[in-house]
Amino acid sequence: MVRKLILNNFVKIFKMAKIILITGGAGFIGSHVVRLFVNKYPEYKIINLDKLTYAGNLENLNDISGKSNYVFEKGDITDNQLVSKLFEKHKFSGIIHLAAESHVDRSISDPGAFINTNILGTVNLLNAARNLWKDDFEGKLFYHISTDEVYGSLGETGYFTEETAYDPRSPYSASKASSDHLVRAYMHTYKLPVVLTNCSNNYGANQFPEKLIPLAVNNIKNNKQIPIYGKGENIRDWLFVNDHASAIDLVYHKGTNGETYNIGGNNEWTNIDLIHKLCEIMDEKLGRKKGESAKLITFVKDRAGHDMRYAIDSSKIQNELGWKPSLQFEEGLEKTVDWYLENETWLNNILTGKYEQYYEEQYHKR
Ligand code: NAD
Ligand code: TYD
């Protein structure tokens, strides 16, 4: 009797155990997703495949790198042979695909890398999933992480819903839109089980200081000018990265096959208002006189094709899956600033010669 019980439980645990490939797990959002899955699901095996481009950083995962349910594999998602071998070796039951070239400004100066990784890399993973799973899709899932930027740019009113027509306008968003279409095409054509989410701008710990918030924090700290594109009137909808990770967890486990869910913070800020708020927080944290950091604000030449406004209607994921953001923006922003100030070594290790070269090219020609 006892033996039967033990055996049944063993069978249950074995059935539940999942082997999940997370791509881009050494990046900003990916590292939060890897940490969440490794800690929350000790019975799962999490394999993190990352090329470690300039944006990938294993320091993001120091705290979990020794865990027995975590494996890191260095590699490029566009590498056919490597990806096939990995799928054969680990026999994944699920894929959470985050690896991408992710910065709009870089996509403007060098679109090629975006086409390779975001489009061809995604197709490579889709093919590997089909080959491994054949037609037995029971318990399998290909989860593609995408962006609200695929929907284009809003005017003063309206929101992006899951029904909004795609209208990407930068090489980055066009490459993401293309990968979204391919994922859906594999679902329709081959019945591959897929789910997609399109999320708004994330902020939080471990974001590479090329994106607005960590770049501004770093510049304020070092008394460098804060470059604001155009008049700073563009609007973004900001979401705390840990809330994105919790949405990914929920969608992975409870999302409906074939569906898309929009994820957003319901938290719109013009860039200039956001930077003023950040300057206020930094003045306080750095013991500066009120208004001191804001003197660093500098308006620079606008980004080419700069999308005016993004805003997400996230009622579908809220109503169907019960997700909602956990933090108010000011609290999240303060936590973020604290993290960057407390993790000087993380930041300093990034600010190497290569970062300086990027910064020179990106900002000193403006
Ligand atoms: P990131 O640039 O911080 O990280 C990307 C990671 O992918 C890095 O670790 C990098 O080394 C890895 N990578 C890049 N090319 C690779 C390749 N060819 N093979 C294997 N690994 C490769 O990006 P992020 O901000 O964490 O974004 C992650 C995902 O979320 C992306 O798909 C992005 O489009 C999407 N997304 C981002 C945001 C945001 O605000 N950052 C919002 C919505 C959606
Ligand atoms: P970014 O963080 O690059 O995210 P995305 O382009 O994906 O929205 O930029 C956020 C906003 O901040 C966007 O409107 C461009 C603007 N921006 C600046 O004004 N100055 C900067 O130095 C950067 C990097 C961005």
Side-chain angles (χ1 to χ4, degrees):
M1 181 69 187
V2 175
R3 247 215 265 147
K4 201 170 164 198
L5 210 69
I6 293 173
L7 194 69
N8 279 348
N9 274 340
F10 177 75
V11 170
K12 234 194 236 163
I13 289 167
F14 186 74
K15 268 192 178 160
M16 266 170 45
K18 292 187 191 319
I19 303 169
I20 301 177
L21 170 67
I22 300 183
T23 68
F28 167 47
I29 302 170
S31 61
H32 290 275
V33 176
V34 166
R35 176 176 302 99
L36 190 155
F37 273 70
V38 165
N39 287 333
K40 188 170 171 185
Y41 303 107
E43 72 277 22
Y44 293 5
K45 187 169 169 194
I46 304 300
I47 292 95
N48 170 14
L49 169 62
D50 199 296
K51 183 181 173 182
L52 299 182
T53 66
Y54 77 92
N57 186 351
L58 286 178
E59 277 185 52
N60 294 349
L61 293 166
N62 275 345
D63 55 324
I64 57 119
S65 61
K67 296 250 173 163
S68 59
N69 63 337
Y70 171 71
V71 177
F72 174 68
E73 298 271 8
K74 183 174 187 299
D76 189 329
I77 58 166
T78 67
D79 182 338
N80 243 314
Q81 282 196 346
L82 176 133
V83 167
S84 311
K85 273 195 196 142
L86 267 190
F87 274 66
E88 197 42 52
K89 176 174 159 194
H90 292 289
K91 309 235 180 319
F92 306 115
S93 52
I95 294 149
I96 305 180
H97 174 36
L98 295 111
E101 288 292 337
S102 69
H103 190 40
V104 174
D105 290 327
R106 289 186 193 252
S107 83
I108 294 168
S109 41
D110 179 20
F114 288 72
I115 309 307
N116 278 330
T117 289
N118 300 0
I119 306 177
L120 300 180
T122 300
V123 174
N124 208 18
L125 293 169
L126 287 165
N127 286 335
R130 272 194 71 211
N131 284 341
L132 177 67
W133 297 337
K134 306 279 189 270
D135 289 328
D136 179 13
F137 294 137
E138 182 65 32
K140 312 293 196 307
L141 184 64
F142 190 106
Y143 179 179
H144 181 62
I145 307 293
S146 193
T147 166
D148 61 354
E149 305 193 23
V150 298
Y151 297 121
S153 179
L154 291 164
E156 279 173 19
T157 57
Y159 295 91
F160 298 136
T161 74
E162 290 80 2
E163 312 304 321
T164 304
Y166 275 31
D167 182 23
R169 295 150 44 103
S170 73
Y172 164 65
S173 54
S175 67
K176 291 296 292 186
S178 176
S179 64
D180 292 10
H181 288 319
L182 284 158
V183 171
R184 292 195 185 99
Y186 274 61
M187 171 191 70
H188 288 293
T189 311
Y190 308 112
K191 310 289 173 238
L192 195 77
V194 307
V195 69
L196 295 90
T197 49
N198 294 79
C199 188
S200 63
N201 285 60
N202 284 216
Y203 72 99
N206 304 98
Q207 188 169 30
F208 195 84
E210 63 187 352
K211 306 275 166 60
L212 180 65
I213 292 179
L215 184 135
V217 169
N218 185 44
N219 285 15
I220 294 168
K221 190 178 125 205
N222 294 305
N223 267 311
K224 277 172 76 174
Q225 294 183 340
I226 312 164
I228 303 289
Y229 298 164
K231 295 182 182 153
E233 287 168 349
N234 304 66
I235 293 173
R236 297 292 183 263
D237 172 0
W238 294 92
L239 179 71
F240 195 53
V241 65
N242 301 73
D243 284 330
H244 189 188
S246 74
I248 291 173
D249 177 21
L250 195 62
V251 171
Y252 184 81
H253 291 97
K254 301 265 161 53
T256 303
N257 183 9
E259 291 292 315
T260 295
Y261 301 87
N262 280 355
I263 307 171
N266 197 17
N267 177 41
E268 292 179 52
W269 287 75
T270 61
N271 293 336
I272 190 66
D273 286 350
L274 186 159
I275 291 299
H276 274 292
K277 173 56 65 193
L278 191 65
C279 287
E280 268 173 41
I281 296 175
M282 295 284 287
D283 279 344
E284 213 180 293
K285 301 276 175 196
L286 298 172
R288 290 182 185 167
K289 258 194 3 226
K290 215 169 167 216
E292 199 61 25
S293 298
K295 289 184 191 154
L296 299 167
I297 292 174
T298 310
F299 293 95
V300 300
K301 187 169 166 248
D302 208 353
R303 173 186 278 173
H306 197 170
D307 287 342
M308 185 40 105
R309 174 172 168 256
Y310 303 144
I312 280 273
D313 175 349
S314 60
S315 50
K316 179 173 173 183
I317 188 171
Q318 301 217 16
N319 296 337
E320 290 185 16
L321 303 182
W323 173 86
K324 62 175 185 329
S326 70
L327 276 188
Q328 293 297 315
F329 188 49
E330 286 170 27
E331 193 187 343
L333 205 52
E334 201 174 321
K335 276 188 176 211
T336 303
V337 168
D338 284 341
W339 188 86
Y340 283 98
L341 295 180
E342 283 160 17
N343 288 274
E344 268 206 319
T345 321
W346 182 92
L347 201 53
N348 290 341
N349 287 348
I350 283 175
L351 307 176
T352 58
K354 266 199 179 150
Y355 179 79
E356 269 171 32
Q357 189 190 330
Y358 165 79
Y359 199 90
E360 281 293 309
E361 283 169 15
Q362 180 61 29
Y363 293 99
H364 286 172
K365 64 176 187 236
R366 281 178 186 272

